[in-house]
Amino acid sequence: MSEPTRNALRLGLAVSLTALVVGPLHVPQPFLAVLATQLLIAIPCHGAAVFLSRIASAAAGSLAGLAILSFAPDSPWLSLPLFFGAAGWGTAFVARRRDPASAILFAMGIASMVAEGFVFPARDLPFGLAHLAALLTAAVSTAVTGWLLPIAEKPKSPPTGDSAPAIGTAAVAALILASAVIPTEFTVTVVAAVTTALSLGSGLGTIGRKFLGGLFGAIAAVVFVIAASSMGNDMATYLLGLAVCMGVIEWGAGKFPAHAPAFRQAGAIFAVMGTILPQPERHMWGSLERMCAVIAGLEIGRAHV
């Protein structure tokens, strides 16, 4: 079996496992689990210590976000600087001490927790815990599939301390923009900005290519949601189509390594926009809202790298 095919099967299996867990749980933002799965799938998880580090990093990010919201519940002029420092330098610290996957989980944990509680304070703890459960599901599913289909690819370079200001700035800018313009998709906007600013697995010189890949992923997701709607919103069909589409994108990343950053960004954006579980009455509107949120987050993250 060729390596691109193995990568595609690994991601397809991991996405299926993740969706089978978060789907029945009806978590408020299932895209977090699928996106984290897509971002982690190419990073090897060697041993129990690395796996536990990823679990701890996801929990630490969520707890850090909860601490910011609890310390300054009604003081945005205090909570925003704290979020800037924790998202930027906290992520860089985790990356230096652990692995890139741990940094991703920490960043997504703090971003999703703060974004949820900043706009709707009453949601911070229950929704934040649901987001943490989604991230933990991704960590487990990628570890399991990595054991079943071992990863030959070397881990990517983590972000350095030099990228901390960019990550923090992108997180705060996305939070402010989402609060003012797209309050229904604030978590999507902030997470998209933070994960773009991280630039994990691609290097800073390929941001333009990643942006084009993101646009391709957004268009592909809209087509996918339309197709899923036309097929009767069957959950089994939807899940199969989601796994196949993301697997094909991952296959392209392995088959054409020169364009891997674009393919991986397309997969990440597809994971965000394509994970609107079958709901006939809001398919297209939800996808269009998410397209705006994703593009806004992508632009913010790209601008601050």
Side-chain angles (χ1 to χ4, degrees):
M1 182 187 302
S2 67
E3 192 60 30
T5 302
R6 180 186 291 269
N7 292 342
L9 290 175
R10 186 188 304 113
L11 179 58
L13 178 59
V15 167
S16 299
L17 291 175
T18 299
L20 285 173
V21 173
V22 299
L25 292 178
H26 300 289
V27 296
Q29 296 286 3
F31 85 90
L32 282 171
V34 180
L35 175 60
T37 299
Q38 194 273 339
L39 293 174
L40 301 183
I41 196 64
I43 306 175
C45 182
H46 299 304
V50 176
F51 172 72
L52 292 177
S53 172
R54 296 180 181 184
I55 298 296
S57 297
S62 298
L63 290 175
L66 181 60
I68 292 172
L69 295 172
S70 300
F71 183 72
D74 299 311
S75 305
W77 297 112
L78 179 58
S79 60
L80 288 178
L82 291 174
F83 183 40
F84 169 79
W89 279 269
T91 300
F93 175 81
V94 173
R96 287 196 303 270
R97 295 299 184 92
R98 302 302 175 188
D99 69 324
S102 297
I104 292 172
L105 290 169
F106 178 88
M108 293 183 70
I110 191 171
S112 59
M113 177 68 81
V114 172
E116 197 74 55
F118 187 83
V119 180
F120 299 109
R123 292 184 179 182
D124 54 359
L125 184 58
F127 276 59
L129 292 177
H131 297 339
L132 175 59
L135 296 178
L136 295 180
T137 300
V140 173
S141 66
T142 51
V144 170
T145 52
W147 176 73
L148 294 174
L149 297 168
I151 303 172
E153 187 176 341
K154 294 181 181 180
K156 305 301 182 183
S157 299
T160 63
D162 295 338
S163 64
I167 297 171
T169 303
V172 172
L175 184 60
I176 294 173
L177 176 66
S179 301
V181 181
I182 322 174
T184 57
E185 296 289 352
F186 45 85
T187 304
V188 174
T189 308
V190 177
V191 171
V194 170
T195 53
T196 300
L198 277 168
S199 297
L200 290 169
S202 63
L204 302 183
T206 58
I207 295 301
R209 198 179 304 171
K210 289 182 68 176
F211 179 72
L212 293 177
L215 290 180
F216 171 78
I219 295 171
V222 171
V223 174
F224 169 73
V225 170
I226 293 174
S229 300
S230 66
M231 293 180 183
N233 301 293
D234 178 70
M235 186 63 181
T237 303
Y238 167 85
L239 182 59
L240 177 62
L242 181 68
V244 169
C245 289
M246 295 192 66
V248 169
I249 294 174
E250 182 64 22
W251 178 87
K255 186 67 174 178
F256 306 102
H259 302 289
F263 278 102
R264 293 263 161 77
Q265 188 68 23
I269 300 305
F270 187 94
V272 175
M273 293 183 57
T275 47
I276 300 178
L277 298 182
Q279 295 176 347
E281 72 281 2
R282 68 181 299 268
H283 259 162
M284 282 310 300
W285 178 243
S287 289
L288 292 176
E289 279 187 322
R290 286 202 172 185
M291 174 177 282
C292 294
V294 165
I295 292 176
L298 187 59
E299 275 293 300
I300 291 171
R302 187 172 70 96
H304 291 89
V305 172

